[in-house]
Amino acid sequence: MDLPKQLIDSLANVKGFDKAAFEKVHISGEQVTSIRLNPFKPSNVLTDFIDVKVPWCSDGFYLKERPSFTMDPLFHAGAYYVQEASSMFLHHAIHELIPGSKQGLKVLDLCAAPGGKSTLLASIFSEGLVVSNEVIKSRAAILVENTTKWGLPNMVVTNNDPEHFKDFVGYFDVIVVDAPCSGSGLFRKDSAAIGEWSEQNVVHCSQRQERILATILPCLKQDGILLYSTCSYSEAEDESIADWLVSHMNMESCPIKTAPSWNIITTQSPQQQAWGYRFYPYLVKGEGFYLAAFKQQQSVFGGRLKEAVLTKLTKFEIDSLATYVSNDLNAAYFKQNNAIRRVPDAFLSNIQELAGRLYIKKAGIEIGEFKGNALVPSHEWAVSVLPKNGFSILPVNKEQALLFLKRGNFISDNASIGWNWVQFDAVVLGLVKVLPNRINNYYPAEWRILKD
Ligand code: SAM
């Protein structure tokens, strides 16, 4: 593994950098695998593999070895997310900076695909709203898949350029910018990234990071928190950006308490002494990562925005829905292309404001569609954490679960006629419709397991 000499040279004076240890850890071939549990889908996740906790994230665990995630139904069910351990530090940072209730807070995850940070944010801000944005269309589709499987009703996925948020002045309580970067922090996991690294790209990335931040910062409320992170070791993308945020963007640096035993290196930027937190793979069980937090010192609230008109449900639909989602007082419903969507009532007008200006890929949870008098339930509802009434539960074993996830011909003697929630362990994987002579599998074709 030939690490770029220019990178190593450029890190010589960076706090915590140890050339020999850095080279050794990259040659070692050691792989660290970690997962983060979905606190709203408790189940028996990877019981034979779970090792110790990730110290800075109460839902994070290291695994003793890497299992075949593809062949684990609970992976597809969103019972956990495979996430690099260092980046779970976001969990600790948020709890430190925003202790106590998170109710009513609006969070923007600007660079969100494939959804590691967004699913973490949705779990923490379960009483808030998480807007999860990705600019690249194909990556936004993966973000939709992962957030759908995570199943929390407090998420909105958008597919927009940061510029498109320009009217949301002073709107968000928290903005997370997990910026596109030169990626040196992932060299150990992905050696192909080494070939793509160049000094020029570091410069290009740091300029882009400033552009993204300058565009989005007006959207942060007075006293709101910015969390900026990269998986690059380069100062140009880390401490220099922190310096620039303080000197040019009038942000206030926020320290984050860490335990000495975690071996996270606390840095201060050269000009403004802005706090930053560095993760080196020879000091922590995880990959290279940098995170810094800031407070918005000055912002103007832009006022209410024009709300998009959402299609209301008919009286019949409202009355009938009660059978399926009874007494759900925290919910508001609207229709999009005939499909009924459920969003948190407290954020309905915010969702209308977002819908008025952004390209929304998914808001809340799609419940289904009335065809005639009957509700055709949707997969999104099936894999969500929302209550599921009105249909039978069909418990399946692992073999049947995998067959279901491959969209195979599903056979079961104890299925009731009609729609059934297919349940493995304690979580629902999707829906089947049982007819007198066969069972139709409604697992989404594009998400099916392709491996035998
Ligand atoms: N936060 C994600 C997670 O935890 O799973 C990883 C995000 S990745 C480091 C950076 C993301 O920024 C990519 O998905 C990339 O497509 C997106 N991106 C690239 N250029 C961008 C730009 N100019 N503005 C905003 N996002 C951009």
Side-chain angles (χ1 to χ4, degrees):
M1 185 178 286
D2 279 337
L3 296 163
K5 184 176 175 316
Q6 288 113 321
L7 172 69
I8 306 247
D9 291 347
S10 73
L11 298 177
N13 297 319
V14 175
K15 193 173 168 196
F17 183 70
D18 174 338
K19 184 171 180 250
F22 188 80
E23 286 174 342
K24 191 169 162 215
V25 83
H26 283 88
I27 294 165
S28 77
E30 188 207 353
Q31 291 290 330
V32 177
T33 307
S34 46
I35 60 167
R36 185 170 39 76
L37 300 181
N38 186 335
F40 296 91
K41 290 191 177 182
S43 44
N44 297 301
V45 169
L46 295 168
T47 41
D48 295 339
F49 292 86
I50 293 269
D51 196 5
V52 292
K53 271 197 169 193
V54 174
W56 43 82
C57 176
S58 52
D59 296 327
F61 288 87
Y62 294 105
L63 300 185
K64 291 176 201 150
E65 55 182 291
R66 193 179 176 87
S68 164
F69 292 115
T70 310
M71 291 303 164
D72 179 15
L74 292 177
F75 168 71
H76 300 274
Y80 63 94
Y81 192 96
V82 184
Q83 186 172 31
E84 195 286 296
S86 304
S87 62
M88 295 183 205
F89 184 63
L90 181 63
H91 177 108
H92 174 75
I94 288 169
H95 284 298
E96 277 287 309
L97 297 165
I98 313 167
S101 169
K102 319 272 185 287
Q103 193 165 12
L105 298 185
K106 297 193 290 293
V107 180
L108 170 63
D109 184 9
L110 184 66
C111 312
K117 310 279 182 317
S118 283
T119 51
L120 183 151
L121 293 165
S123 302
I124 297 179
F125 293 94
S126 60
E127 294 183 311
L129 183 73
V130 176
V131 178
S132 191
N133 178 69
E134 169 56 43
V135 63
I136 298 173
K137 196 174 170 199
S138 57
R139 290 178 61 83
I142 299 161
L143 182 61
V144 167
E145 177 177 344
N146 286 330
T147 53
T148 299
K149 289 176 176 173
W150 203 244
L152 267 56
N154 60 333
M155 300 186 85
V156 172
V157 178
T158 57
N159 176 206
N160 285 88
D161 190 281
E163 294 270 347
H164 300 162
F165 286 84
K166 70 174 188 308
D167 292 335
F168 292 87
V169 177
Y171 197 84
F172 293 99
D173 299 277
V174 178
I175 296 185
V176 175
V177 176
D178 186 31
C181 70
S182 61
S184 46
L186 298 181
F187 280 176
R188 182 169 65 158
K189 251 187 148 66
D190 174 17
S191 53
I194 298 175
E196 286 158 26
W197 189 92
S198 70
E199 274 180 313
Q200 257 170 317
N201 195 34
V202 170
V203 174
H204 167 75
C205 286
S206 72
Q207 289 168 347
R208 181 168 58 182
Q209 286 148 359
E210 289 188 358
R211 244 187 354 258
I212 293 172
L213 287 162
T215 306
I216 210 64
L217 276 177
C219 303
L220 189 59
K221 246 181 214 169
Q222 172 93 33
D223 295 329
I225 299 288
L226 166 73
L227 290 142
Y228 171 75
S229 59
T230 74
C231 54
S232 161
Y233 298 108
S234 296
E235 268 191 311
E237 298 176 76
D238 298 341
E239 285 81 2
S240 302
I241 299 288
D243 259 341
W244 173 85
L245 279 166
V246 175
S247 59
H248 286 70
M249 303 307 292
N250 196 24
M251 300 296 285
E252 178 190 332
S253 163
C254 301
I256 300 168
K257 273 196 218 100
T258 60
S261 61
W262 296 353
N263 278 342
I264 297 165
I265 300 291
T266 302
T267 64
Q268 285 195 275
S269 61
Q271 287 163 22
Q272 304 290 339
Q273 285 75 52
W275 303 99
Y277 300 86
R278 278 185 170 258
F279 293 68
Y280 291 102
Y282 46 86
L283 293 178
V284 301
K285 235 177 128 185
E287 306 310 309
F289 185 63
Y290 172 84
L291 183 139
F294 303 86
K295 194 184 262 188
Q296 175 76 286
Q297 304 203 83
Q298 234 174 17
S299 159
V300 217
F301 175 51
R304 297 294 298 266
L305 295 164
K306 191 163 183 277
E307 296 179 5
V309 179
L310 302 175
T311 311
K312 292 203 169 94
L313 273 58
T314 62
K315 166 118 185 28
F316 166 79
E317 286 169 333
I318 294 168
D319 293 345
S320 312
L321 206 57
T323 321
Y324 305 98
V325 284
S326 51
N327 297 328
D328 195 353
L329 297 177
N330 300 323
Y333 296 90
F334 64 91
K335 272 196 301 191
Q336 194 181 27
N337 307 324
N338 289 330
I340 295 169
R341 290 208 150 265
R342 186 248 192 235
V343 294
D345 192 29
F347 294 107
L348 179 63
S349 55
N350 298 119
I351 289 168
Q352 288 178 272
E353 289 173 332
L354 294 163
R357 282 172 164 69
L358 301 171
Y359 181 52
I360 295 198
K361 297 279 287 181
K362 164 180 146 66
I365 308 285
E366 184 188 298
I367 298 291
E369 187 176 329
F370 276 97
K371 293 221 167 124
N373 285 343
L375 178 71
V376 176
S378 85
H379 181 74
E380 251 184 76
W381 181 25
V383 293
S384 79
V385 301
L386 295 177
K388 297 176 190 85
N389 305 325
F391 307 114
S392 312
I393 290 176
L394 175 58
V396 294
N397 60 29
K398 186 170 179 186
E399 195 186 335
Q400 291 170 317
L402 289 172
L403 192 56
F404 172 71
L405 293 165
K406 290 174 184 171
R407 279 192 121 230
N409 273 334
F410 191 79
I411 303 154
S412 174
D413 294 335
N414 44 10
S416 325
I417 293 287
W419 290 105
N420 283 244
W421 308 112
V422 179
Q423 183 173 306
F424 173 74
D425 197 325
V427 288
V428 172
L429 299 174
L431 284 150
V432 288
K433 191 165 187 190
V434 181
L435 306 173
N437 55 349
R438 64 171 199 277
I439 296 182
N440 286 344
N441 186 335
Y442 279 80
Y443 195 73
E446 64 280 20
W447 297 351
R448 73 191 188 279
I449 299 179
L450 295 169
K451 242 173 51 182
D452 276 330

